[in-house]
Amino acid sequence: MNNNIVLLPLLIPFVTGVILIFFKNQIRWQKILSILSFLGMTGVSLYLTNLIANEGIQTLYLGGWEPPYGIVLVADMFAALLVLTTSIVALCCSWFAFSSIGKEREKFYFYPMFQFLIVGVSGSFLTGDLFNLFVFFEVMLISSYVMIGIGGTKRQLRESLKYVLINIVSSALFVASVAYLYAITGTLNMAQLSQRIAEAYALGEGTAIITVVSILLMIVFSLKAGLFLYYWLPGSYSAPPMVIAAVFGALLTKVGIYALFRTFTLIFYHQQEVTHYQILGWLAALTSLLGVIGAVAHSDVRKILSYNIVAAVGFIVLGLAVFSHVAISGAIYYLIHDMIIKALLFLLGGALIGIAGTSHVKKMGGLIKHHPYPGWMFFIGAVALAGIPPLSGFLGKLLVIQGSIEQGATHGLFYLFAGISLFSSLLILYSVMKIFMHGFWGETKLTKEEEYGTTKGLLAPCSILLLVSFFLGLGGEYVLPYVFEAADTLMNPSIYIDAVGIKE
Amino acid sequence: MEILMSVVAGVLFSTGTYLILTKSLLRIILGTALLSHGVHLLLLTMAGLKTGAPPLLGYESNAYTDPLPQALILTAIVISFGVTAFFFVLAYRAYKELGTDDMDELRGTDDE
């Protein structure tokens, strides 16, 4: 089914980004256009999601070249849900940026770069071949290099050097693994790759080298997602202003997770014993454990929240490692929840730091007296993050744990992994509650006049995110059918391959 | 020919890695540039080299070089040039601002 709508989530932010460059000095127009662009993108992706639910996977052959020769965009349910979540997060974060990012950064093309970042993110979700995944990764990364360094404070410059270096190296490895994969299979279209590798396994030829390439790709995506190879993440994500950190935490690592899900469900699903159960399982468990240890150890708001990203990555990938329908749908649900709730917590953390003038939890206190709304919003967000029942994290967590316990019947290790994840959830709750207890609760250290900033204009976008989180939790019966359909597609590669329509 | 290209790619990879592991920022950037060149050569070699046939597919032709890797390399080279240029500018600005290009002195954060 060839449908031009698939291109719109890419085209809208791209065209807006280009137009915004011409409005360098008219910040007001930049703001209006940014909001309009993300509103449009949200509308389009809502429409696209419903279209996919009714009519199946939508594809677009760019330039009319049919696969495997041309570039193809594929919107299955998984990609569409993530694009939808991305546009909601982008809408709220750009709104939050209006009154928090500051005049200097606005003048140096913050809003256009934001748009280009979203182009890269939604492009990575929608692309149907591996090399274009690399290209969209680069679009996203180059915008993120600019955004992490924009403003040029000492700390930002120092951390952006490491961030850029890590990403250049991982991109080089990505191209190298694409080269090897092309040498083995002679194609880069993901649907055709899936077919060719299935044939190779049926014949029993070259399976060893395919496993090696799959692990090389796993390293690349793990570096981007912060799965085990996360050492660069807390430093880099805590350097830029909180709204940029919110976008990074909510979207950039999730693109790495998406790529892991796509490649390890569609292409490399033949050696589950090795790649999924052993390697991904251990990586996921260790990541959630080490991430949460970092979160508990620090007492800096930015650092605590950054380490929480790492812990969540481990939990989501556990769903992939289990590789059953239940666990995958749980992971997708948790992924969507995590994008929303991480953005919310980072934005509220940004508001908190803005008011208190410090990011150290021990130096702030009692803000809830003058700021009850952000205080309680943060509390609800923290509870949702840990997955307390009526809120959004619970369903995803339940499904992933259920899946891994079912899998534990045949592979005993998964009992251990599920235990580690539950234990780390508990510590996650402790680490964010630490921010709440020290920052909002306790003795009020600042009077109304001594505060360093206001929350004017910052609470509306946070409330939208909180409402979405409520909807995800309480309206589970509306969301779950979509998530199950996404998991169906991931578990049955033939649906994807048929939809792309490879003609040999 | 493929063997020679593989060896060259390997030399570029190892030199790039060596340079990335040094302290000086400038060397690190040059290392990343060499690393990406190695990757591009690898991409070209992996598809198999064929001398004497242009990468054009006519209806009559019975031999042609695979055009896809060349298209991929073109994209990858453009990206790596852009990123390297950006990295140089970033490093220059960081050197101006922080007063050092020694990676050892750029460790840690203010609050630790």
Side-chain angles (χ1 to χ4, degrees), chain B residues 7-101:
Chain B
V7 170
V8 174
V11 169
L12 284 173
F13 260 98
S14 45
T15 322
T17 313
Y18 173 74
L19 284 175
I20 286 174
L21 293 176
T22 53
K23 276 185 193 171
S24 156
L25 198 48
L26 198 60
R27 283 163 198 255
I28 290 175
I29 300 171
L30 291 175
T32 59
L34 286 185
L35 192 69
S36 41
H37 287 321
V39 168
H40 300 151
L41 272 189
L42 185 76
L43 191 54
L44 191 64
T45 317
M46 274 295 132
L49 299 167
K50 192 175 268 177
T51 48
L56 292 169
L57 173 56
Y59 287 108
E60 305 292 312
S61 65
N62 46 14
Y64 59 92
T65 310
D66 188 356
L68 190 73
Q70 311 203 355
L72 301 186
I73 287 173
L74 187 61
T75 318
I77 285 178
V78 171
I79 290 173
S80 91
F81 276 0
V83 171
T84 310
F86 177 81
F87 204 0
F88 269 119
V89 175
L90 183 72
Y92 179 67
R93 177 74 193 275
Y95 174 69
K96 280 279 198 189
E97 199 78 24
L98 301 161
T100 176
D101 71 338

Side-chain angles (χ1 to χ4, degrees), chain A residues 131 135 138 142 145 154-155 157-162 164-165 168 172 175-176 179-180 182-183 188 300 303, chain B residues 25 28 32 39 42-43 46-47 66 68-69 72 75 79 83 86-87 90 94 97-98 106 108-112:
Chain A
F131 195 78
V135 173
E138 287 300 316
I142 292 170
Y145 298 157
K154 283 189 178 176
R155 179 173 180 174
L157 286 170
R158 198 177 48 200
E159 295 302 331
S160 60
L161 286 176
K162 298 164 199 169
V164 173
L165 179 60
I168 288 178
V175 182
Y180 285 127
Y182 187 72
L188 289 174
D300 180 300
K303 281 276 166 65
Chain B
L25 198 48
I28 290 175
T32 59
V39 168
L42 185 76
L43 191 54
M46 274 295 132
D66 188 356
L68 190 73
L72 301 186
T75 318
I79 290 173
V83 171
F86 177 81
F87 204 0
L90 183 72
E97 199 78 24
L98 301 161
L106 295 173
T109 47
D110 305 322
D111 48 285
E112 275 164 21

